[in-house]
């Protein structure tokens, strides 16, 4: 199979299954929460929730196998998606059922393929809330019937999950069983990682905003410098055009009035002395001398 065709098929599959996987994650969350929150519900409710969990697991397994078959480098795909592999291989181990929800949320976030940091932050924030809620359900299911357990209600479990994910740890509630402590370690590590991603993306958003502002300011400065140079050039051109003609190199010479008068006088003198001139053929004007009385 050509490499480009394989990539195109895998991308098309991931794009088409993005929304269905998110819906299945919600279905799994409801099916996982109902038996824990209402342990005294009817038997058919518990069976329905169990069937829903198995159905969601089958859908996750099918999605993983299809993506593995469409991947151009299958071993690299397996190494690059360890959480998805655990979610498929360990389907119904009680504390690890949470991995399927977490992996689905992360998978949907990766498939979003949206560059803006605020969008990624929204997905990660949703993953934080989901992890906290399902961590609360898991530890409540494990610690509720423990002999020395102090997490007996859903409110206690949510409070413990919140303080654990934020690494505050007041100590008023803590797991006492080995399985509960295992969940606590996973919740602490996941909470630190996810909250760190949220913080980093918020910081990256502010940095990118400042960089855009700096770019706009630099562009405005460049435009002002170009405008200043153009104004200087226009002033120089106006000064050159408005300067006096004799001060302008190469300008038209002013007429020599004195020279013209000399030429006219010379022409008049030549006309009086040259017999061939215009006055030679003219009749002489008789000189009338009045007799003296």
């Amino acid at each position: 199979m050509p490499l480009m065709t394989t990539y195109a098929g895998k991308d098309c599959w991931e794009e088409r299954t993005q929304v269905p996987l998110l819906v299945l994650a919600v279905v799994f969350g409801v099916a996982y929460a109902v038996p824990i929150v209402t342990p005294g519900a009817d038997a058919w409710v518990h069976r329905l929730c169990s069937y829903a969990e198995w159905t969601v697991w089958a859908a996750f397994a099918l999605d993983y196998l299809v993506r593995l078959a469409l991947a151009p480098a299958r071993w690299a795909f397996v190494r690059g998606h360890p959480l998805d592999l655990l979610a498929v291989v360990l389907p119904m181990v009680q504390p690890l059922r949470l991995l399927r929800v977490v992996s689905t949320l992360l998978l949907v976030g990766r498939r979003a393929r949206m560059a803006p940091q605020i969008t990624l932050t929204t997905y990660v924030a949703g993953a934080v809330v989901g992890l906290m809620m399902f961590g609360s359900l898991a530890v409540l299911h494990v610690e509720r019937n423990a002999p020395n357990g102090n997490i007996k209600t859903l409110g206690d479990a949510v409070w413990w999950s919140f303080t654990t994910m934020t690494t505050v740890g007041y100590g008023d509630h803590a797991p006492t069983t080995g399985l509960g402590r295992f969940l606590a370690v996973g919740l602490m590590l996941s909470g630190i990682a996810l909250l760190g991603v949220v913080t980093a993306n918020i910081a990256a958003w502010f940095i990118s905003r400042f960089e855009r502002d700096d770019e706009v300011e630099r562009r405005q400065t460049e435009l002002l410098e170009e405008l200043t140079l153009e104004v200087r050039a226009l002033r120089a051109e106006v000064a050159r055009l408005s300067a006096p003609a004799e001060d302008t190199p190469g300008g038209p010479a002013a007429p020599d009035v004195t020279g013209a008068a000399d030429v006219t006088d010379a022409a008049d003198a030549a006309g009086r002395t040259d017999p061939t001139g215009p006055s030679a053929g003219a009749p002489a004007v008789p000189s009338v001398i009045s007799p003296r009385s």
Side-chain angles (χ1 to χ4, degrees), residues 32-41 46 136-157 174-177 180:
Y32 182 80
V34 168
I36 298 176
V37 177
T38 58
H46 289 269
S136 303
L137 294 173
V139 75
L140 177 62
H141 181 75
V142 172
E143 295 290 327
R144 174 185 287 165
N145 299 321
N148 298 322
N150 55 13
I151 301 177
K152 300 296 183 180
T153 64
L154 182 61
D156 294 339
T176 58
T177 63

Side-chain angles (χ1 to χ4, degrees), residues 25-276:
V26 175
V27 172
F28 175 82
V30 174
Y32 182 80
V34 168
I36 298 176
V37 177
T38 58
D42 296 337
W44 67 270
V45 175
H46 289 269
R47 286 197 301 270
L48 181 62
C49 293
S50 179
Y51 294 155
E53 290 180 0
W54 276 107
T55 302
V56 173
W57 171 81
F60 290 162
L62 178 63
D63 173 73
Y64 183 84
L65 293 176
V66 171
R67 289 188 293 124
L68 179 62
L70 294 176
R74 292 184 174 87
W75 179 241
F77 177 83
V78 173
R79 288 183 301 175
H81 301 78
L83 194 61
D84 299 337
L85 180 61
L86 288 176
V88 172
V89 174
L90 304 172
M92 298 306 292
V93 178
Q94 188 66 27
L96 295 179
R97 285 191 296 173
L98 180 62
L99 289 176
R100 292 201 300 276
V101 178
V102 176
S103 63
T104 302
L105 292 175
L106 296 177
L107 181 63
V108 172
R110 287 196 302 269
R111 291 181 179 181
R113 301 182 187 278
M114 295 182 180
Q117 283 80 9
I118 193 65
T119 303
L120 179 60
T121 302
T122 302
Y123 277 104
V124 175
V128 169
V129 174
L131 183 61
M132 183 179 67
M133 292 304 300
F134 285 96
S136 303
L137 294 173
V139 75
L140 177 62
H141 181 75
V142 172
E143 295 290 327
R144 174 185 287 165
N145 299 321
N148 298 322
N150 55 13
I151 301 177
K152 300 296 183 180
T153 64
L154 182 61
D156 294 339
V158 172
W159 172 251
W160 170 83
S161 296
F162 188 82
T163 57
T164 301
M165 287 187 65
T166 55
T167 65
V168 175
Y170 285 108
D172 52 348
H173 296 286
T176 58
T177 63
L179 200 54
R181 291 171 180 173
F182 176 79
L183 287 173
V185 171
L187 197 61
M188 284 186 287
L189 296 177
S190 301
I192 293 172
L194 291 175
L195 292 176
V197 171
V198 172
T199 304
N201 279 275
I202 293 176
W205 182 81
F206 278 108
I207 292 174
S208 63
R209 181 63 180 269
F210 293 152
E211 288 179 351
R212 287 196 299 268
D213 294 341
D214 292 341
E215 181 64 26
V216 172
E217 186 176 353
R218 285 195 297 269
R219 182 57 182 168
Q220 291 177 350
T221 303
E222 293 175 358
L223 291 177
L224 287 176
E225 291 177 354
E226 293 177 0
L227 183 60
T228 302
L229 293 176
E230 292 179 1
V231 169
R232 289 177 181 175
L234 288 175
R235 286 179 176 177
E237 183 68 17
V238 170
R240 187 184 67 82
L241 294 177
S242 60
E246 60 272 12
D247 295 338
T248 304
D256 190 355
V257 180
T258 305
D262 295 341
V263 172
T264 305
D265 294 340
D268 292 340
R272 288 194 300 267
T273 58
D274 189 3
T276 62

Side-chain angles (χ1 to χ4, degrees), residues 1-11 70 72:
M1 182 181 296
L3 184 62
M4 294 302 296
T5 304
T6 303
Y7 275 117
K10 181 174 178 294
D11 293 341
L70 294 176

